[in-house]
Every structure is written in structure tokens, then in C-alpha cells.
Amino acid sequence: GPQAARVGEVGRERLVAACLGLLATEPDRPPTIRGVCRAANVGPRHLYELFPDMDALLAATHDAGMGELREVVDAVVERVGREPGGEVTVTDRLRPVFQAVVAVVEREPGIAAILFRVPMRDERLRAHATVSMATFVGTVRSLVVGRAAPREMADLEIAYLSGALASV
């Protein structure tokens, strides 16, 4: 019922937080099932009840990091959109978005690792991260610019913006 679903959600959040914590302290060391379970103070059986494997946990951790970025970006875009003043350029709108993303990445080294470092070295997460980042960047673009890019430009813009985020 609803209680079991909530317990599962809390368990997932706890395991994701443990994975982020491990990545924050050792970003270049892939988290292991044993390490995540130890950090979350649960047994492997509990992890396997919530995630089929480590790949699924890494994907969920990546999604949690993206979710945090999205919340910050949404708040910045809403704030910038409400500010009075003359002509607001795309650069004027993008600058605070990038600053907000950088602030999250600096404050949360586990999020920085799962979004940018781990996908570069972990082939299993790379495909998931590529789609997730493209969706995120496309959303940011539509929020900031207010219109979709022509199809032939969208992939190029997403590649450039994703690279810019990774570089920052």
C-alpha cells in the first residue's frame, strides 16, 4: 500500500544519498554495492529489493543530481523572468543559470561527480547520462530562449551547452 511505497521511496533516497556521499569523498573511485550498503547502513538484500543492480542505482543517483539542478534552474529562470527592467538578452538569462549550476556543483561534489565525471569513465552510465543531459540542456534552452531550436541546430546546441557545463 501507500506505506510500503513510502518506505521504498525513503530507502531509495537513502541509498542514492549514500552513493552521492561516496562520490563526494572519492569521485574517481566507482562506488560498490558493499560500499553503498555500508554507507547507508543497510544490507545488500535491501539494495537489491529497490534496485536490480548497481547500474540502476547509478542511474537513479544521476537522476537525483539532475533533479537538483533542475530545481535550481527553475528558480533562477522564474526569478530572472520577474525582474523588471529593459531588454533582457539571452546572455543575461543564461549567466545566472550557469552561476546557479556552478554553485550546486561546488557545494555538492557528489553531484558534480555523478553528472560529469562518472559518465565519462563509466560506459554503462554514459548512454543514460547523454540522454538525461540532452533533455536538461534542451529544457534550459527552451526556458531561457523561450522557443525551440530548429531541428538541425538543436543537437549542436545541446552538445555545446553540455560541453560548457562539463568544462565549468
Side-chain angles (χ1 to χ4, degrees), residues 64-147:
M66 276 298 186
E68 186 156 337
L69 284 189
R70 179 64 200 266
E71 286 178 22
V72 168
V73 167
D74 286 348
V76 168
V77 168
E78 185 178 319
R79 187 183 72 238
V80 170
R82 285 194 315 245
E83 288 178 357
E87 194 63 29
V88 179
T89 67
V90 170
T91 302
D92 294 334
R93 290 183 179 155
L94 269 180
R95 185 174 290 114
V97 168
F98 271 95
Q99 289 170 338
V101 168
V102 168
V104 169
V105 168
E106 287 177 344
R107 184 181 70 240
E108 304 277 350
I111 289 177
I114 196 66
L115 294 183
F116 302 110
R117 293 173 88 150
V118 177
M120 286 185 192
R121 70 164 187 264
D122 189 319
E123 206 170 296
R124 301 163 304 174
L125 184 59
R126 191 171 304 133
H128 178 83
T130 300
V131 170
S132 178
M133 185 61 76
T135 301
F136 174 76
V137 170
T139 300
V140 169
R141 186 204 191 284
S142 66
L143 287 170
V144 170
V145 177
R147 58 182 158 66

Side-chain angles (χ1 to χ4, degrees), residues 6 46 135:
R6 180 68 189 133
H46 183 72
T135 301

